[in-house]
Structure formats: C-alpha cells, structure tokens
Amino acid sequence: IEYGAISVGSHEISALGVEGDLNVVELTKEEREFAPNNELQEYIVIQNLGIEGLLIVLDSEGNVYEYVNGKFKKIYKDFYSYLKMEICV
C-alpha cells in the first residue's frame, strides 16, 4: 500500500507518508493549536484552503466539514463524496 498527498489544481489534500505541510498528522496538530476551546480535538484536518482560516476536516464517522471561525458546516457525508465532487470534477 502506498500513501501520499493529493494535489490537483488548487486543491492539496494532506495525507500520511509525506513530509511538511501536507502531512496530515503535522497539519492537524498545528491547526489544533490555533483552534479555540480545543474545538478540533475530535477532527482530522485534511486541507487548509488558505482563505480566511477555512479548513476542511473529517470527524470519526468520515463526515466532511468546513471549519472557520469556530464553526463547523457539514458539506459531505463521506470523504469519497468530497473527493468525487470537489477534486475529481
């Protein structure tokens, strides 16, 4: 099995098996430090869009959310749907 980040157009999805900003563990740890009240403790950060603090995060059930300014907005029911609709179009 190979692991790696996805980079398509302006999208960069973090993952395992890479170093630097696209490493999902490092990105998640870094963003958790900035989140107020430990709001990201139960989420994995998969993408920092670099637009006014907008992050794309996953919960333990695989639901995909936009997170910005302490607010979560569910955008997809699973990671596959997110990739299919946002990355593979």
Side-chain angles (χ1 to χ4, degrees):
I1 296 177
E2 290 186 32
Y3 301 96
I6 299 170
S7 183
V8 178
S10 64
H11 292 283
E12 292 182 327
I13 308 297
S14 62
L16 297 172
V18 295
E19 294 182 19
D21 293 341
L22 291 179
N23 181 289
V24 70
V25 175
E26 295 304 317
L27 178 61
T28 298
K29 284 181 177 180
E30 181 179 310
E31 295 300 339
R32 284 179 179 173
E33 288 179 20
F34 297 120
N37 304 317
N38 295 319
E39 292 174 339
L40 290 176
Q41 284 305 112
E42 302 297 320
Y43 295 86
I44 297 170
V45 180
I46 60 167
Q47 190 173 18
N48 179 336
L49 295 175
I51 303 169
E52 299 183 20
L54 180 60
L55 304 175
I56 304 299
V57 301
L58 298 172
D59 68 10
S60 62
E61 302 294 318
N63 296 298
V64 182
Y65 299 84
E66 287 181 349
Y67 171 83
V68 66
N69 297 326
K71 296 182 182 173
F72 293 91
K73 176 183 173 187
K74 185 175 177 181
I75 56 173
Y76 290 100
K77 65 179 180 156
D78 56 44
F79 184 57
Y80 174 77
S81 298
Y82 175 72
L83 289 177
K84 182 177 176 184
M85 299 304 293
E86 298 291 333
I87 308 302
C88 298
V89 283

